[in-house]
Amino acid sequence: MVQPQIVHPNVQITEITREFCSAASKLTGGKLVKDEHFTLYEAVSALEIGDPKMDSGCAAFDAESDEEFDPARNVSAEEIVWLMDQLMYREVAWHMGYPLSQTLFTSIHIERLLWPQPKQLSEACFWRDRRSTRDVPSLLNTVFQSYCVGLIKCCDLVLSMVASQHFYEEEDFAPQIYNRPLLHDFSVGEVMDSLQDAHVFVQKSNLPEPLKGALKDRLNARSAFLRLFHSCELRERPASSTLQADLALIEAVEKTSILGRPTPTVAFTLKMQRNLASSVPPRPMIVIEKEKAFSFFHQLLRDTTSAFQMLDITCGSDLLVAYQRFMAQTSQPAVYVRVLLQSFLNINNTVLGRYTIDHFITQDMHSLTLPSALPLGSNNSEIEDIPEDQQMEISSRVELFLNRCGQSFLNLFRTYCLNRCRVRRSMCHAALEWDQIQAEAEDLDAFVQSILDEQPIPYPSGEQLTFSYSFSSWVYHYKLIQLQTILQMGFELSIYAPHEFAEMYWYLSFLSNSHLSHLERISFFVSSSRQVDVRRRDEVQVTLKRLYRYFTWLKATEAMANALHRVFVIIQRHGHLHKPSPAYASDRLRYELRMRPFLNLSIPEPIDFDLAQPARLLLELSDASVLEQATSLVQTAKKAWEEVLRGGWESKGPRPADARADTVDTGRSKQVAPVVDSEWTQDVRNLMKACIGTAIAIAALSKALNAKGKTTAGTGISSLKVEIPPVGHRDRWHVAWPVPKISS
């Protein structure tokens, strides 16, 4: 009989190695003993027993293990302040994408509240089996317990919002709750009442004023977050005055964090991971630093409140710019803010709570290409002139097309709400989808032309007759926007190596030129419609102004890309930015790799390597000619960016303010989306700085080129020092426009 060995109170270990080996020796080869309830999962788990990297309980009975939580121990106000702050730091870590098992669920107090699952809010307490202790008012079970309940409910509201939208698990957010519903069945009102009772308890206590103020600030801050997340759930706009008060609360909490004192017993432990329904091995505890945590809360409050400014925008093209700029902030908004913006695209099955999807798309089409077949504005008159059966057939075909491209158009907005790497990756996939939509739009255009008997017009003047192709022109416009975004985000995400910059700037100029030609074509057919129908004159003028805004931006982009292309060509001609030459690589393979997102598109047609090579190397031009062209181009770009800045980001004014809208003293509604205006303005100014930096680089290259031959050896462009400032460096004027820094 094997005698058990006692290694710890209530734990006995029995050595069965000898008996096990004896039994195993009696088995012949090919035989297997298996219990029907002992699965592969248990077998693999058995191999991990005792491995501290995989077995969270291997040190559970260590003599030096963490001291168990004592619910009967009194907790001082300083310790309560420290516990609240520690939970806030872990809450930030969860918002940043770390799982609950490494953040909030390492708290013994949170575990006591959530397990077993409470059926009533009164059961969410630290001591369910000790009524005498539970019902006695104290800092721990009245103040801290209410704070923890409020924190859990905030997490529940955040999780509900995130789970309802599109996000990438393990990249953006960890939604696992490990079979512990975050008080989902309890109302926000009940939790707010609990926090209010805690506030009253602190107010009536005999604590010193600094500690009393610190506890009240934390309770008020938790109530503020709870109200904010609840209003977002209801899509109710928070008041701007509330934002300032909430920011002041966060600042007060940060200042009083020095009053906290750690608890003598363990309040956070990895042993809690043993109780979670998870097959993930134990992972380290994540706690965000104090400065980063409070900075995160400041931005979360500002971005969440500012996000509701998007609801004031009335034009699809303006909304796309707003989403682009809001999400491209230096510090990207938190996942919660990004999914909140996604939710605005479907408020009660409407976009921004006002437009059906079909109306949202037709309005944008009408503002860009004025298609005759759209049932919007004065265009109805053209449809009414044809037989009723043909009207119904056109309406049916247009409706089918709108249904086809509706979600793709909204997904373009959703894509900008993803993390920056996913934005580019998603657009690479979407480009093929939009290419197919463009083919379907061309079929619709051909059908409309046959029904409405549209007359072709020579374009360009004196050339072959052609039709307007309004629907496919709209699709192609947005496809080109995505292609340019894909390319420029390659610079932002440091995908391209410095020796590839010349090639990518060349292709960016090609895409911009294609887009400019496309807008010129749209403008030609839109302006020609003015001669057909006098009633459309006002609509035509509005559309032409919008097209000119696009044209100005693209003109600046094309000129600046061409200038930087020439700068990098000269730099590489003189031995800078060497490209590696491994045995398995070649210029052709490298070109195909970078052009992969564009190779399978029908329009714009992919450029063959043999045709692209001479165009991007500028072999037929001398150094002096290349720099002369670059000087002219950068001046053109600078003037165009100045015109863009003067024009502002809005192509359409804000909708009339309702009774609840904030107004200035004169009674006029405030500027729509001021946060977008600020970000857009700063972006254009950074582009102008990059333009000036390009001009400085061109001047340095020209000076070195002119000095060559006049002095001794060791001068010239080859002797210059060329640096490419990385993203985040102060000399990187714009993240998507790397400009070389040249010095002697």
Side-chain angles (χ1 to χ4, degrees):
M1 182 69 181
V2 179
Q3 296 297 324
Q5 178 185 3
I6 300 177
V7 297
H8 193 277
N10 301 322
V11 177
Q12 295 180 349
I13 296 179
T14 303
E15 175 68 39
I16 62 169
T17 304
R18 182 178 301 173
E19 287 75 8
F20 180 81
C21 292
S22 175
S25 65
K26 298 177 182 179
L27 293 175
T28 59
K31 287 189 177 182
L32 175 67
V33 177
K34 178 183 178 298
D35 185 89
E36 61 179 350
H37 300 295
F38 193 74
T39 64
L40 177 63
Y41 175 78
E42 280 81 12
V44 174
S45 298
L47 298 176
E48 298 167 351
I49 294 176
D51 183 354
K53 293 182 179 180
M54 303 298 292
D55 183 5
S56 61
C58 68
F61 303 105
D62 187 352
E64 299 180 358
S65 63
D66 299 333
E67 183 180 349
E68 295 293 333
F69 171 63
D70 181 11
R73 195 186 73 83
N74 291 326
V75 182
S76 66
E78 292 86 350
E79 293 170 353
I80 294 293
V81 170
W82 181 83
L83 286 170
M84 289 179 173
D85 290 346
Q86 290 297 312
L87 285 175
M88 290 180 70
Y89 303 156
R90 286 162 173 79
E91 180 186 9
V92 171
W94 180 63
H95 275 282
M96 290 181 172
Y98 293 99
L100 287 169
S101 61
Q102 295 178 258
T103 54
L104 290 172
F105 281 5
T106 60
S107 168
I108 297 175
H109 298 90
I110 298 294
E111 173 68 11
R112 291 264 178 155
L113 291 175
L114 293 178
W115 191 260
Q117 181 180 347
K119 303 301 181 183
Q120 303 176 19
L121 189 60
S122 59
E123 294 181 4
C125 59
F126 298 143
W127 310 286
R128 301 189 194 183
D129 55 343
R130 300 175 62 175
R131 180 174 296 274
S132 59
T133 305
R134 183 181 68 184
D135 296 337
V136 176
S138 65
L139 285 175
L140 190 62
N141 66 357
T142 303
V143 178
F144 185 58
Q145 182 173 287
S146 298
Y147 180 87
C148 290
V149 169
L151 169 63
I152 295 170
K153 190 60 184 177
C154 282
C155 293
D156 175 62
L157 294 175
V158 170
L159 181 62
S160 298
M161 176 66 75
V162 173
S164 67
Q165 303 300 324
H166 185 61
F167 70 99
Y168 282 90
E169 195 172 328
E170 302 299 337
E171 288 184 19
D172 298 319
F173 195 75
Q176 297 88 353
I177 58 174
Y178 307 99
N179 198 30
R180 280 159 173 73
L182 303 176
L183 305 182
H184 183 73
D185 296 332
F186 305 116
S187 67
V188 174
E190 292 180 271
V191 179
M192 290 293 292
D193 291 341
S194 176
L195 287 169
Q196 183 60 34
D197 293 341
H199 190 279
V200 172
F201 178 86
V202 173
Q203 183 65 35
K204 293 181 179 180
S205 67
N206 297 323
L207 294 171
E209 284 302 322
L211 285 174
K212 184 184 293 187
L215 291 174
K216 289 194 296 184
D217 287 339
R218 281 156 177 77
L219 291 171
N220 290 335
R222 183 52 55 194
S223 299
F225 276 114
L226 196 57
R227 281 193 300 269
L228 178 64
F229 294 146
H230 185 51
S231 64
C232 291
E233 182 183 42
L234 302 176
R235 308 300 187 273
E236 295 178 355
R237 184 193 300 258
S240 56
S241 58
T242 304
L243 172 62
Q244 299 305 319
D246 294 346
L247 290 174
L249 276 175
I250 296 299
E251 292 177 0
V253 171
E254 183 176 8
K255 290 178 181 178
T256 56
S257 61
I258 58 175
L259 299 177
R261 185 178 69 241
T263 57
T265 56
V266 173
F268 301 91
T269 174
L270 290 175
K271 289 166 61 176
M272 293 296 102
Q273 293 184 359
R274 299 188 65 202
N275 303 326
L276 304 179
S278 171
S279 60
V280 178
R283 291 180 176 177
M285 195 182 306
I286 304 297
V287 184
I288 302 300
E289 296 86 351
K290 169 186 169 181
E291 292 75 14
K292 291 183 179 179
F294 285 108
S295 175
F296 176 88
F297 280 127
H298 275 86
Q299 184 179 1
L300 178 63
L301 287 171
R302 285 193 297 266
D303 289 345
T304 303
T305 305
S306 301
F308 282 87
Q309 297 174 9
M310 306 298 158
L311 299 179
D312 296 329
I313 299 173
T314 59
C315 175
S317 57
D318 286 351
L319 186 65
L320 186 64
V321 173
Y323 271 53
Q324 286 176 323
R325 295 276 36 99
F326 192 84
M327 291 301 161
Q329 299 179 54
T330 303
S331 179
Q332 190 178 24
V335 176
Y336 180 80
V337 180
R338 283 151 42 196
V339 298
L340 177 63
L341 257 69
Q342 290 187 49
S343 71
F344 292 162
L345 301 173
N346 186 9
I347 302 178
N348 298 325
N349 295 321
T350 61
V351 180
L352 304 180
R354 299 194 303 277
Y355 309 111
T356 63
I357 296 179
D358 286 355
H359 184 266
F360 184 66
I361 298 175
T362 53
Q363 183 190 53
D364 193 77
M365 288 181 178
H366 187 268
S367 67
L368 185 70
T369 60
L370 293 179
S372 301
L374 279 181
L376 191 67
S378 62
N379 290 330
N380 279 329
S381 60
E382 299 183 29
I383 301 179
E384 291 171 356
D385 294 337
I386 62 176
E388 185 176 352
D389 60 331
Q390 293 183 341
Q391 292 183 31
M392 294 180 63
E393 193 171 1
I394 285 182
S395 298
S396 176
R397 291 287 295 270
V398 170
E399 184 178 357
L400 286 174
F401 176 73
L402 294 177
N403 292 335
R404 169 69 177 89
C405 67
Q407 286 304 318
S408 298
F409 188 54
L410 293 184
N411 285 340
L412 176 58
F413 294 83
R414 292 190 179 97
T415 298
Y416 282 108
C417 298
L418 304 177
N419 63 69
R420 301 303 288 170
C421 296
R422 278 289 173 182
V423 170
R424 186 178 187 275
R425 185 177 180 86
S426 299
M427 283 191 177
C428 289
H429 294 295
L432 295 175
E433 180 183 3
W434 279 79
D435 198 56
Q436 179 61 35
I437 294 175
Q438 184 177 356
E440 297 175 15
E442 290 174 356
D443 293 339
L444 176 61
D445 282 320
F447 174 77
V448 171
Q449 291 159 13
S450 63
I451 296 296
L452 297 182
D453 194 23
E454 179 183 348
Q455 297 301 313
I457 303 175
Y459 177 80
S461 298
E463 297 293 331
Q464 187 177 1
L465 297 177
T466 185
F467 295 94
S468 61
Y469 291 99
S470 301
F471 290 101
S472 57
S473 294
W474 176 82
V475 175
Y476 190 38
H477 167 70
Y478 279 103
K479 184 171 74 171
L480 285 170
I481 288 177
Q482 294 177 77
L483 297 182
Q484 293 165 39
T485 303
I486 291 170
L487 196 149
Q488 290 199 268
M489 288 196 71
F491 291 115
E492 177 184 341
L493 299 174
S494 302
I495 292 175
Y496 311 135
H499 67 271
E500 297 175 306
F501 285 178
E503 175 182 310
M504 302 317 297
Y505 274 128
W506 164 77
Y507 196 71
L508 177 59
S509 67
F510 166 75
L511 288 177
S512 300
N513 183 266
S514 300
H515 206 163
L516 282 170
S517 301
H518 182 59
L519 292 182
E520 286 180 352
R521 186 182 187 281
I522 294 176
S523 300
F524 176 80
F525 282 96
V526 167
S527 59
S528 65
S529 66
R530 178 171 46 189
Q531 303 171 3
V532 178
D533 189 349
V534 178
R535 290 173 296 180
R536 301 180 67 180
R537 187 167 299 169
D538 292 340
E539 295 175 353
V540 167
Q541 289 300 323
V542 172
T543 299
L544 289 176
K545 288 180 180 179
R546 179 174 286 106
L547 289 170
Y548 182 74
R549 292 167 57 84
Y550 289 132
F551 188 90
T552 307
W553 181 282
L554 288 168
K555 186 64 179 176
T557 301
E558 183 203 26
M560 191 167 169
N562 271 319
L564 281 167
H565 167 224
R566 283 155 175 75
V567 168
F568 280 102
V569 164
I570 293 297
I571 289 174
Q572 288 183 276
R573 279 185 184 180
H574 291 267
H576 298 285
L577 305 181
H578 296 284
K579 59 184 175 183
S581 54
Y584 52 83
S586 66
D587 289 342
R588 182 181 295 274
L589 291 175
R590 190 178 294 110
Y591 177 80
E592 291 178 359
L593 175 65
R594 293 304 176 214
M595 295 296 114
R596 184 171 295 171
F598 317 105
L599 288 179
N600 295 320
L601 301 177
S602 58
I603 303 175
E605 295 182 4
I607 303 176
D608 187 75
F609 173 77
D610 295 329
L611 296 176
Q613 191 76 347
R616 63 191 180 91
L617 295 179
L618 303 176
L619 297 176
E620 73 282 0
L621 297 177
S622 64
D623 291 352
S625 298
V626 172
L627 289 175
E628 184 179 352
Q629 289 181 4
T631 302
S632 175
L633 287 166
V634 79
Q635 292 299 323
T636 301
K638 185 174 181 295
K639 292 178 182 178
W641 287 129
E642 290 173 350
E643 186 174 356
V644 167
L645 186 60
R646 286 194 299 269
W649 73 277
E650 294 177 76
S651 62
K652 189 173 183 180
R655 66 188 177 96
D658 56 27
R660 295 175 297 174
D662 294 328
T663 56
V664 293
D665 295 338
T666 59
R668 294 180 291 106
S669 60
K670 289 184 178 180
Q671 182 186 35
V672 64
V675 64
V676 175
D677 181 75
S678 174
E679 290 294 330
W680 182 89
T681 302
Q682 186 59 49
D683 181 70
V684 176
R685 286 175 176 167
N686 289 339
L687 285 165
M688 295 176 67
K689 290 179 182 178
C691 201
I692 295 172
T694 304
I696 294 173
I698 294 171
L701 292 172
S702 300
K703 182 179 178 181
L705 184 65
N706 294 332
K708 186 178 181 181
K710 297 181 180 180
T711 58
T712 59
T715 61
I717 297 178
S718 58
S719 64
L720 296 176
K721 182 180 179 182
V722 178
E723 298 178 76
I724 309 295
V727 175
H729 194 277
R730 65 177 185 177
D731 291 333
R732 180 71 170 256
W733 310 116
H734 195 282
V735 292
W737 291 89
V739 177
K741 183 180 179 182
I742 300 175
S743 57
S744 56

